[in-house]
PDB file of all heavy atoms in Angstrom:
ATOM      1  N   LEU K  68     118.383  96.924 115.873  1.00 97.00           N
ATOM      2  CA  LEU K  68     118.970  97.108 117.194  1.00 97.00           C
ATOM      3  C   LEU K  68     120.060  96.084 117.470  1.00 97.00           C
ATOM      4  O   LEU K  68     120.780  96.194 118.467  1.00 97.00           O
ATOM      5  CB  LEU K  68     117.897  96.996 118.282  1.00 97.00           C
ATOM      6  CG  LEU K  68     116.787  98.045 118.272  1.00 97.00           C
ATOM      7  CD1 LEU K  68     115.873  97.848 119.469  1.00 97.00           C
ATOM      8  CD2 LEU K  68     117.348  99.455 118.267  1.00 97.00           C
ATOM      9  N   THR K  81     110.969  94.719  92.403  1.00 92.00           N
ATOM     10  CA  THR K  81     111.203  96.158  92.522  1.00 92.00           C
ATOM     11  C   THR K  81     112.203  96.665  91.490  1.00 92.00           C
ATOM     12  O   THR K  81     112.290  97.872  91.256  1.00 92.00           O
ATOM     13  CB  THR K  81     111.718  96.509  93.930  1.00 92.00           C
ATOM     14  OG1 THR K  81     112.987  95.870  94.154  1.00 92.00           O
ATOM     15  CG2 THR K  81     110.748  96.039  94.999  1.00 92.00           C
ATOM     16  N   GLY K 100     102.582  93.804 116.364  1.00 96.00           N
ATOM     17  CA  GLY K 100     103.004  93.687 114.980  1.00 96.00           C
ATOM     18  C   GLY K 100     102.761  92.297 114.414  1.00 96.00           C
ATOM     19  O   GLY K 100     102.488  92.143 113.222  1.00 96.00           O
ATOM     20  N   ALA K 111      89.840  84.928 105.008  1.00 57.00           N
ATOM     21  CA  ALA K 111      88.467  84.680 105.436  1.00 57.00           C
ATOM     22  C   ALA K 111      87.712  85.962 105.772  1.00 57.00           C
ATOM     23  O   ALA K 111      86.480  86.008 105.688  1.00 57.00           O
ATOM     24  CB  ALA K 111      88.459  83.744 106.645  1.00 57.00           C
ATOM     25  N   TYR K 132      94.436  75.782 100.129  1.00 84.00           N
ATOM     26  CA  TYR K 132      95.685  76.327  99.623  1.00 84.00           C
ATOM     27  C   TYR K 132      96.843  75.652 100.345  1.00 84.00           C
ATOM     28  O   TYR K 132      96.646  74.882 101.292  1.00 84.00           O
ATOM     29  CB  TYR K 132      95.724  77.851  99.790  1.00 84.00           C
ATOM     30  CG  TYR K 132      95.630  78.351 101.219  1.00 84.00           C
ATOM     31  CD1 TYR K 132      96.756  78.660 101.964  1.00 84.00           C
ATOM     32  CD2 TYR K 132      94.377  78.539 101.825  1.00 84.00           C
ATOM     33  CE1 TYR K 132      96.669  79.123 103.263  1.00 84.00           C
ATOM     34  CE2 TYR K 132      94.274  79.007 103.130  1.00 84.00           C
ATOM     35  CZ  TYR K 132      95.417  79.293 103.840  1.00 84.00           C
ATOM     36  OH  TYR K 132      95.327  79.748 105.138  1.00 84.00           O
ATOM     37  N   ARG K 138     112.561  76.009 104.637  1.00 95.00           N
ATOM     38  CA  ARG K 138     113.720  75.957 105.541  1.00 95.00           C
ATOM     39  C   ARG K 138     114.984  76.530 104.917  1.00 95.00           C
ATOM     40  O   ARG K 138     115.820  77.107 105.626  1.00 95.00           O
ATOM     41  CB  ARG K 138     113.970  74.508 105.963  1.00 95.00           C
ATOM     42  CG  ARG K 138     112.770  73.813 106.607  1.00 95.00           C
ATOM     43  CD  ARG K 138     112.433  74.398 107.957  1.00 95.00           C
ATOM     44  NE  ARG K 138     111.283  73.733 108.575  1.00 95.00           N
ATOM     45  CZ  ARG K 138     110.767  74.090 109.743  1.00 95.00           C
ATOM     46  NH1 ARG K 138     111.310  75.094 110.426  1.00 95.00           N
ATOM     47  NH2 ARG K 138     109.712  73.466 110.228  1.00 95.00           N
ATOM     48  N   ASP K 139     115.128  76.393 103.592  1.00 96.00           N
ATOM     49  CA  ASP K 139     116.360  76.849 102.960  1.00 96.00           C
ATOM     50  C   ASP K 139     116.508  78.366 103.006  1.00 96.00           C
ATOM     51  O   ASP K 139     117.630  78.894 103.023  1.00 96.00           O
ATOM     52  CB  ASP K 139     116.440  76.352 101.519  1.00 96.00           C
ATOM     53  CG  ASP K 139     115.243  76.786 100.679  1.00 96.00           C
ATOM     54  OD1 ASP K 139     114.148  76.939 101.252  1.00 96.00           O
ATOM     55  OD2 ASP K 139     115.414  76.963  99.451  1.00 96.00           O
ATOM     56  N   PRO K 174     109.617  88.117 110.910  1.00 97.00           N
ATOM     57  CA  PRO K 174     108.400  88.216 111.731  1.00 97.00           C
ATOM     58  C   PRO K 174     107.586  89.480 111.495  1.00 97.00           C
ATOM     59  O   PRO K 174     106.367  89.480 111.737  1.00 97.00           O
ATOM     60  CB  PRO K 174     108.952  88.164 113.156  1.00 97.00           C
ATOM     61  CG  PRO K 174     110.171  87.297 113.044  1.00 97.00           C
ATOM     62  CD  PRO K 174     110.782  87.697 111.735  1.00 97.00           C
ATOM     63  N   GLU K 249     100.505  80.192 122.940  1.00 82.00           N
ATOM     64  CA  GLU K 249     100.314  78.993 123.760  1.00 82.00           C
ATOM     65  C   GLU K 249      99.434  77.991 123.016  1.00 82.00           C
ATOM     66  O   GLU K 249      98.522  78.380 122.275  1.00 82.00           O
ATOM     67  CB  GLU K 249      99.662  79.340 125.105  1.00 82.00           C
ATOM     68  CG  GLU K 249     100.439  80.322 125.959  1.00 82.00           C
ATOM     69  CD  GLU K 249     100.108  81.771 125.662  1.00 82.00           C
ATOM     70  OE1 GLU K 249      99.462  82.038 124.619  1.00 82.00           O
ATOM     71  OE2 GLU K 249     100.496  82.637 126.468  1.00 82.00           O
ATOM     72  N   VAL K 263      98.557  79.209 111.159  1.00 88.00           N
ATOM     73  CA  VAL K 263      99.139  78.101 111.915  1.00 88.00           C
ATOM     74  C   VAL K 263     100.628  77.970 111.599  1.00 88.00           C
ATOM     75  O   VAL K 263     101.471  77.806 112.496  1.00 88.00           O
ATOM     76  CB  VAL K 263      98.395  76.789 111.607  1.00 88.00           C
ATOM     77  CG1 VAL K 263      99.129  75.593 112.210  1.00 88.00           C
ATOM     78  CG2 VAL K 263      96.964  76.851 112.139  1.00 88.00           C
ATOM     79  N   LYS K 270     107.305  80.333 117.004  1.00 94.00           N
ATOM     80  CA  LYS K 270     107.669  79.544 118.187  1.00 94.00           C
ATOM     81  C   LYS K 270     109.021  78.872 117.979  1.00 94.00           C
ATOM     82  O   LYS K 270     109.843  78.824 118.904  1.00 94.00           O
ATOM     83  CB  LYS K 270     106.582  78.520 118.480  1.00 94.00           C
ATOM     84  CG  LYS K 270     105.284  79.131 119.004  1.00 94.00           C
ATOM     85  CD  LYS K 270     104.186  78.103 119.154  1.00 94.00           C
ATOM     86  CE  LYS K 270     104.472  77.153 120.299  1.00 94.00           C
ATOM     87  NZ  LYS K 270     103.335  76.235 120.535  1.00 94.00           N
TER      88      LYS K 270
END
Side-chain angles (χ1 to χ4, degrees):
L68 296 184
T81 63
Y132 61 96
R138 304 292 180 182
D139 57 330
E249 301 88 347
V263 171
K270 289 174 70 174

